[in-house]
Amino acid sequence: MTKNKSTKAPLQTSFYYGWIIVAVAGLSVFFSGPGQTYSVSIFIDYYIEDFEYSRSLVSGIYSGATLCAGFALFMMGRLVDRFGQRTMMVAVGICLSLALFWNAFLLGPIMMFFGFFMIRLFGQGSMTLIPNTLVPQWFIRKRGRALSVMAIGGFASSALMPPLNTWMIETAGWRTAWGIWGTLLLIVFVPVAFFFVRNQPKMVGEVPDGTPKPVKGGGDPSPNVEINEKSWTLKEAMATKAFWFILFCVIVPALVNTAITFHIVSIMGLRGLDTGVAAMVLTLMAIIGFPVTFLTGYLVDRFQVHYILAITFFGHIFTLLLLLFTDTWWLAVAFGVLWGFVNGFERIVLSIVWPNYFGREHLGSIKGLAQTVMVIGSALGPLPFGIFYDWLGGYQEVILLTIAFPVTAGILALSSPQPRYEDYHG
């Protein structure tokens, strides 16, 4: 981590400065939206129409670009450990803005590939990786609650961007929509990240969770929580069974959610439901998921994380089964509600499991690898759905096959309690 000798916060507050960090982290997750599938999915049918490409070709370009972005993302975690979150957040914000301008000028499949690659690397990958390594630096006991507040940015993004994209594209075209998001990122997010972000509490004279209150009877303040936490290196974490089981669990939501979100307009269209209903489902998922994150944050601060993770995957099973029968507006609403509930669980659990299991010191490298696997998982989802659509004219069969993944992940989650540091370090 980069060091900063200043102990003065850039903004003086009557409360713990870590909550300002959480707000900026939430803004980062919000502006990851242009690189997320819930936003990109609104553009796909317009691409197919304007460029006269097949659905499987666009799915293949998207999956290939996402896969390459996933492999490149591993280095982002190492760069976060080396240069710190503040520097990387500003740099990535600028890079994502330039990537969005690139997408506004697409001319063919090669430009489309690089456009998808950049928004997946800097948007879906880096703009969520960095805040998920920043907030755990500032909170330990209240980590679940802090991540729940940060998740507001993600749910606001997934709720607002699909209908906003639909409106902007219908009003001014998809090229203008990309340009608007690139401009907002550059003039809003980048300055906020530069001014307000600090990498660790000690840089503003604080400790995680806030300055300890004096204990009764004089004596020392409450113990320094930084000393009590055990931190694993990436190599040490990889020696545990839990690391690999949880890593597989990370793949499943990325694969399933990306596949469904990417093809949501087409899936609903086959059931006689228009683009507006598809956008409504994505928005409803975000609205429902938002309050669920606070429930999840409460639960993960009090119960073992792997049990909450298992509940998430059993929810995925029911969500996929409901999708098979969604052919009316009210079933689409029910699907959006259930999907939102599951999404609210997974956002918090998959963010908190890594710092809770393996500490904060090497979190960039550990989370970077997990984020790499997540992006690779998201790359593997859309293409099979596109192939099945072109081959069989629908999605029923591929949805049934997909159910096997959350079933497996639920079993692995139940088998992955937090590893004991002493068992691997004497």
Side-chain angles (χ1 to χ4, degrees):
M1 292 282 183
T2 54
K3 294 184 179 179
N4 190 336
K5 294 181 181 180
S6 173
T7 57
K8 185 178 179 182
L11 180 67
Q12 299 303 308
T13 63
S14 59
F15 52 87
Y16 178 47
Y17 190 77
W19 294 109
I20 298 293
I21 297 294
V22 169
V24 180
L27 191 65
S28 178
V29 177
F30 176 87
F31 274 110
S32 75
Q36 300 282 6
T37 306
Y38 56 72
S39 175
V40 178
S41 63
I42 304 300
F43 291 82
I44 297 307
D45 281 51
Y46 296 97
Y47 281 4
I48 292 172
E49 180 180 350
D50 287 3
F51 293 105
E52 298 181 348
Y53 297 156
S54 69
R55 183 167 297 277
S56 56
L57 175 60
V58 177
S59 300
I61 293 172
Y62 187 76
S63 293
T66 300
L67 192 64
C68 292
F71 287 120
L73 186 60
F74 176 68
M75 291 307 301
M76 283 292 180
R78 293 188 176 274
L79 291 174
V80 170
D81 280 345
R82 181 176 180 183
F83 295 107
Q85 288 86 353
R86 183 192 185 201
T87 299
M88 291 301 297
M89 194 173 276
V90 171
V92 165
I94 294 171
C95 289
L96 179 58
S97 177
L98 296 176
L100 297 176
F101 293 135
W102 171 283
N103 278 271
F105 294 96
L106 293 184
L107 295 177
I110 295 177
M111 283 191 74
M112 186 180 293
F113 175 86
F114 283 106
F116 282 150
F117 169 78
M118 289 187 290
I119 63 173
R120 298 298 272 170
L121 174 61
F122 298 123
Q124 184 219 17
S126 303
M127 288 284 283
T128 56
L129 167 66
I130 297 170
N132 275 294
T133 63
L134 176 62
V135 170
Q137 303 294 333
W138 288 78
F139 294 89
I140 295 180
R141 292 186 302 272
K142 300 177 182 177
R143 187 174 285 161
R145 278 163 282 182
L147 289 170
S148 297
V149 175
M150 184 191 78
I152 295 173
F155 283 108
S157 179
S158 56
L160 294 174
M161 286 197 182
L164 282 176
N165 284 345
T166 301
W167 176 76
M168 286 191 292
I169 292 171
E170 293 292 340
T171 303
W174 58 265
R175 296 183 187 275
T176 302
W178 284 124
I180 290 172
W181 288 123
T183 302
L184 288 173
L185 191 73
L186 201 58
I187 65 176
V188 175
F189 174 74
V190 171
V192 168
F194 178 79
F195 184 77
F196 290 108
V197 171
R198 296 296 182 268
N199 298 336
Q200 294 180 330
K202 62 185 178 182
M203 294 180 174
V204 295
E206 290 274 13
V207 296
D209 296 305
T211 304
K213 296 178 180 179
V215 295
K216 290 183 178 180
D220 263 348
S222 50
N224 189 334
V225 289
E226 290 188 276
I227 295 175
N228 295 334
E229 187 179 54
K230 305 291 193 301
S231 288
W232 307 58
T233 64
L234 175 60
K235 184 178 180 180
E236 290 169 342
M238 291 173 70
T240 67
K241 176 188 71 173
F243 178 87
W244 296 104
F245 283 7
I246 298 298
L247 205 59
F248 178 84
C249 292
V250 168
I251 295 176
V252 174
L255 186 151
V256 175
N257 290 339
T258 305
I260 295 173
T261 305
F262 187 86
H263 295 286
I264 189 68
V265 174
S266 177
I267 292 172
M268 294 298 162
L270 287 176
R271 314 290 173 80
L273 303 171
D274 60 20
T275 303
V277 174
M280 178 272 296
V281 168
L282 295 176
T283 300
L284 186 60
M285 179 267 290
I287 292 172
I288 296 299
F290 165 58
V292 174
T293 59
F294 291 97
L295 170 64
T296 312
Y298 174 86
L299 292 174
V300 295
D301 281 342
R302 287 159 177 79
F303 301 99
Q304 295 186 52
V305 176
H306 67 295
Y307 291 135
I308 312 299
L309 188 58
I311 292 172
T312 300
F313 291 116
F314 293 124
H316 268 288
I317 296 168
F318 290 114
T319 302
L320 289 169
L321 289 172
L322 180 58
L323 182 60
L324 288 170
F325 301 99
T326 299
D327 57 2
T328 63
W329 184 88
W330 69 269
L331 280 175
V333 170
F335 169 72
V337 169
L338 183 57
W339 194 14
F341 196 89
V342 171
N343 199 258
F345 266 77
E346 74 186 29
R347 279 178 185 254
I348 303 304
V349 180
L350 293 177
S351 295
I352 204 171
V353 65
W354 301 110
N356 276 17
Y357 274 31
F358 303 112
R360 298 175 298 135
E361 187 175 345
H362 306 284
L363 185 58
S365 298
I366 293 172
K367 181 69 176 175
L369 179 57
Q371 197 84 354
T372 295
V373 171
M374 184 201 74
V375 175
I376 292 171
S378 68
L380 299 176
L383 182 56
F385 272 60
I387 291 173
F388 267 78
Y389 174 83
D390 287 341
W391 181 28
L392 299 174
Y395 300 98
Q396 297 290 105
E397 295 81 6
V398 72
I399 291 172
L400 283 171
L401 291 173
T402 302
I403 292 174
F405 288 98
V407 170
T408 304
I411 295 170
L412 293 181
L414 289 173
S415 306
S416 306
Q418 180 177 353
R420 293 180 69 251
Y421 188 84
E422 293 76 10
D423 291 344
Y424 293 87
H425 298 82

